[in-house]
């Protein structure tokens, strides 16, 4: 059977399940590409390329699992983020393109410090290590600490760190609990739990298969965000930055909490879908 025929068949099946032509097209290409070990350019250029019965059967197996609702990242055991190939499993959140906005803004903040400074960065709730590893890949000279409460998640992050040869310091901690040194970090980033406990989206799509502890927070999703804002000033270096990912309807609340927390230059940045996604601010503790 030819690639073009297999792709069309895969797309049709996924489209019926996902009801989203853009997503189903992307996933169909990804599945066929993964099994054949060929990139998208090859698939588009040589639709007449013949595939083996074994390859076809493997594609059908993956499709069947996906149509049952299981996330593609869990089926394949990996997800690309910031051009990094990351191991993913049921103990971690699945890295999403929206979170790349958090990385982009952290890199912009890093540029505001003198090149002579050895940057120290803290990633709270690291999960797969996606954000910490992306920052380490762009800032190889920085010291990057990555915290998570889940030991299973840290095992995934450790694998990714070693597999990508991007050394970061992994710490099993409930937020700042095991962070002893004060005023040491130039940048603190976090993609914390921010979904409200009664949000109907928790019963839809891929989030059904992700750990609730990494998704849900009390106070309409703001509890952990508030906790991080309250304590981060004790761990930021002078004129250090805090950057938080949050829900698209939470920007006003997060900005208010950061202003109350003594942060200045507070702003919200939109993701690729033009939704409010990351709020950041600077803290000057010498003036407090």
């Amino acid at each position: 059977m030819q690639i073009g025929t297999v792709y069309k068949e895969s797309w049709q099946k996924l489209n019926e399940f996902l009801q989203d032509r853009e997503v189903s097209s992307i996933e169909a290409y990804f599945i066929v590409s993964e099994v054949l070990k060929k990139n998208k350019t090859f698939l588009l250029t040589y639709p007449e390329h013949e595939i083996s019965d074994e390859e076809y059967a493997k594609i059908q197996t993956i499709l069947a699992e996906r149509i049952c609702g299981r996330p593609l990242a869990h089926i394949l055991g990996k997800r690309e983020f910031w051009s990094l190939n990351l191991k993913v499993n049921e103990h971690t959140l699945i890295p999403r393109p929206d979170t790349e906005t958090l990385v982009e803004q952290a890199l912009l903040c890093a540029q505001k410090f003198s090149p002579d400074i050895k940057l120290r960065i803290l990633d709270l709730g690291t999960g797969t290590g996606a954000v910490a590893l992306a920052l380490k890949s762009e800032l190889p000279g920085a010291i990057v600490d990555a915290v998570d409460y889940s030991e299973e998640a840290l095992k995934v992050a450790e694998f990714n760190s070693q597999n990508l040869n991007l050394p970061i310091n992994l710490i099993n901690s409930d937020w700042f609990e095991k962070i002893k040194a004060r005023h040491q970090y130039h940048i603190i980033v976090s993609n914390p739990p921010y979904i409200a406990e009664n949000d109907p989206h928790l019963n839809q799509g891929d989030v059904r298969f992700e750990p609730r502890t990494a998704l849900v927070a009390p106070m309409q999703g703001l509890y952990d965000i508030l906790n991080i804002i309250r304590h981060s000033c004790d761990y930021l270096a002078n004129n250090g930055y805090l950057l938080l990912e949050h829900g698209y309807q939470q920007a006003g609340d997060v900005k208010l909490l950061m202003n109350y927390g003594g942060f200045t230059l507070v702003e919200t940045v939109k993701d690729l879908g033009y939704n409010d996604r990351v709020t950041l601010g600077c803290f000057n503790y010498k003036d407090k």
Side-chain angles (χ1 to χ4, degrees), residues 64-121:
E65 287 192 73
R66 183 66 182 115
I67 290 169
C68 285
R70 191 176 175 206
L72 187 58
H74 287 177
I75 298 169
L76 301 178
K78 62 183 180 180
R79 170 61 66 88
E80 184 177 286
F81 179 87
W82 202 261
S83 298
L84 302 175
N85 195 9
L86 300 172
K87 175 182 177 180
V88 176
N89 64 23
E90 69 277 8
H91 300 293
T92 67
L93 289 183
I94 299 169
R96 291 173 169 81
D98 290 346
T99 303
E100 293 192 354
T101 304
L102 183 63
V103 176
E104 291 168 355
Q105 293 304 310
L107 291 174
L108 289 175
C109 290
Q111 294 176 9
K112 299 177 183 181
F113 293 95
S114 168
D116 298 330
I117 292 177
K118 190 171 186 64
L119 288 175
R120 295 190 65 99
I121 300 171

Side-chain angles (χ1 to χ4, degrees), residues 8-286:
K8 185 176 180 181
E9 179 184 83
S10 302
W11 177 84
Q12 289 172 337
K13 289 182 178 180
L14 285 169
N15 194 47
E16 291 174 4
F17 165 62
L18 296 168
Q19 297 181 337
D20 186 323
R21 294 191 177 188
E22 182 179 354
V23 174
S24 62
S25 176
I26 292 171
E27 290 201 356
Y29 268 119
F30 195 82
I31 291 169
V32 177
S33 175
E34 177 66 20
V35 173
L36 270 58
K37 306 303 179 187
K38 303 288 187 183
N39 60 32
K40 186 175 179 180
T41 301
F42 181 92
L43 302 186
L44 291 170
T45 307
Y46 302 103
E48 74 283 359
H49 178 78
E50 297 283 341
I51 72 171
S52 68
D53 291 341
E54 183 181 355
E55 290 169 331
Y56 179 74
K58 190 170 183 180
I59 290 169
Q60 295 305 305
T61 298
I62 294 173
L63 280 172
E65 287 192 73
R66 183 66 182 115
I67 290 169
C68 285
R70 191 176 175 206
L72 187 58
H74 287 177
I75 298 169
L76 301 178
K78 62 183 180 180
R79 170 61 66 88
E80 184 177 286
F81 179 87
W82 202 261
S83 298
L84 302 175
N85 195 9
L86 300 172
K87 175 182 177 180
V88 176
N89 64 23
E90 69 277 8
H91 300 293
T92 67
L93 289 183
I94 299 169
R96 291 173 169 81
D98 290 346
T99 303
E100 293 192 354
T101 304
L102 183 63
V103 176
E104 291 168 355
Q105 293 304 310
L107 291 174
L108 289 175
C109 290
Q111 294 176 9
K112 299 177 183 181
F113 293 95
S114 168
D116 298 330
I117 292 177
K118 190 171 186 64
L119 288 175
R120 295 190 65 99
I121 300 171
L122 175 64
D123 177 25
L124 294 168
T126 196
T128 61
V131 172
L133 293 168
L135 291 173
K136 184 65 176 180
S137 72
E138 299 291 342
L139 302 168
I143 297 172
V144 180
D145 294 342
V147 165
D148 207 289
Y149 182 74
S150 167
E151 293 183 4
E152 292 298 326
L154 286 176
K155 290 178 183 177
V156 176
E158 182 178 17
F159 174 89
N160 287 328
S161 173
Q162 294 177 355
N163 187 53
L164 295 166
N165 194 27
L166 293 171
I168 58 176
N169 304 313
L170 296 165
I171 304 166
N172 183 210
S173 177
D174 185 3
W175 300 125
F176 294 99
E177 184 179 34
K178 300 288 180 63
I179 308 297
K180 302 303 180 184
R182 300 298 181 97
H183 303 306
Q184 63 173 315
Y185 294 107
H186 302 95
I187 297 171
I188 297 177
V189 295
S190 184
N191 177 16
Y194 58 73
I195 300 177
E197 296 164 297
N198 60 350
D199 193 310
H201 293 95
L202 290 168
N203 299 315
Q204 302 171 11
D206 289 353
V207 295
R208 294 173 296 163
F209 298 84
E210 297 177 280
R212 288 293 174 100
T213 53
L215 292 166
V216 175
M219 290 176 52
Q220 292 299 302
L222 292 169
Y223 180 83
D224 290 305
I225 287 175
L226 173 60
N227 185 37
I228 292 170
I229 292 172
R230 288 178 59 190
H231 294 96
S232 61
C233 55
D234 292 330
Y235 298 90
L236 282 169
N238 195 40
N239 293 321
Y241 287 87
L242 172 65
L243 301 94
L244 296 168
E245 180 173 332
H246 51 71
Y248 72 97
Q249 294 178 319
Q250 294 174 320
D253 291 327
V254 177
K255 288 175 75 172
L256 189 64
L257 290 172
M258 290 188 76
N259 282 317
Y260 280 154
F263 287 85
T264 60
L265 306 176
V266 177
E267 63 173 315
T268 297
V269 179
K270 296 183 183 298
D271 60 24
L272 292 174
Y274 298 100
N275 295 309
D276 290 337
R277 186 59 60 193
V278 173
T279 296
L280 61 141
C282 179
F283 193 84
N284 187 320
Y285 68 86
K286 290 184 178 179

